[in-house]
Amino acid sequence: MQEIETARLYLRQFTPEDLDDLYRIYSDSEVMKYLSEGVRNREETAADLFGIIADWEKNAFGLWAVVNKENNQLIGDGGLRFLAKTPEVEVSYVLAKAYWGKGLASEVAAASLQYGFEVLKLEKIVAVADTANRSSRRVMEKVGMRYQHNLDHSDRVYSHFK
């Protein structure tokens, strides 16, 4: 199992036992506001979870369960995945609202980028964020990514970073 430890977090592979915690996060309308999937019900969350697990088996990388070291609670997901309908690998992160504004998304993104470049030897990693999601755009800039252009996708405009 692939795992990473940062100053405040453990990034580990998901297991089926993570469903309840992940559902609490994915069912929050504020957390999911800018994500194309939107709020997820329990069945959709289960499908997402098993998709994340399958991505690791298929690609040897994927999204990690983000666990807060302080209380050992799963607080989100983050890591690397293929950007929908492209061959590009994107860095991604979703955190429970109680953990916003603490620099944790930047910690997840930085660790994921390091893993992608140093372990996986990827040449390029991208990121996308709804143009209205200023917080996510700031995370991308904090970890050294730069705005490239906007993308129109699914009736939303996303900022593309590299």
Side-chain angles (χ1 to χ4, degrees):
M1 255 193 162
Q2 294 292 330
E3 293 187 5
I4 294 177
E5 183 175 346
T6 70
R8 298 176 288 172
L9 303 169
Y10 296 114
L11 307 180
R12 62 161 174 80
Q13 287 182 253
F14 276 99
T15 68
E17 290 74 31
D18 293 319
L19 178 58
D20 290 338
D21 290 331
L22 192 60
Y23 174 62
R24 276 192 283 284
I25 296 163
Y26 283 10
S27 64
D28 184 323
S29 62
E30 284 191 78
V31 169
M32 302 302 282
K33 177 179 180 179
Y34 293 115
L35 301 177
S36 58
E37 303 88 26
V39 172
R40 313 300 281 160
N41 65 34
R42 188 172 176 79
E43 293 75 29
E44 291 166 332
T45 301
D48 291 342
L49 175 60
F50 288 105
I52 290 168
I53 292 169
D55 283 346
W56 273 98
E57 292 170 7
K58 178 181 176 186
N59 304 316
F61 66 86
L63 298 178
W64 282 288
V66 177
V67 177
N68 182 2
K69 279 185 180 180
E70 199 173 275
N71 59 14
N72 208 35
Q73 183 174 356
L74 188 143
I75 63 169
D77 71 41
L80 303 171
R81 64 182 178 185
F82 283 105
L83 183 60
K85 300 177 184 168
T86 77
E88 293 184 304
V89 174
E90 76 166 323
V91 63
S92 175
Y93 39 85
V94 175
L95 296 177
K97 188 172 181 202
Y99 295 91
W100 291 1
K102 301 176 188 308
L104 296 172
S106 297
E107 206 167 308
V108 171
S112 299
L113 290 170
Q114 183 177 4
Y115 182 83
F117 289 127
E118 294 179 10
V119 176
L120 299 176
K121 305 294 185 197
L122 297 172
E123 291 182 24
K124 179 173 96 168
I125 300 172
V126 302
V128 296
D130 188 296
T131 54
N133 190 346
R134 290 190 177 114
S135 296
S136 189
R137 292 171 53 116
R138 277 196 303 273
V139 168
M140 293 171 196
E141 291 167 352
K142 282 183 191 176
V143 297
M145 300 183 93
R146 297 291 167 245
Y147 169 81
Q148 296 293 303
H149 55 83
N150 284 346
L151 302 168
D152 288 319
H153 179 69
S154 301
D155 297 326
R156 287 185 169 204
V157 178
Y158 294 91
S159 297
H160 186 271
F161 286 75
K162 180 164 93 166

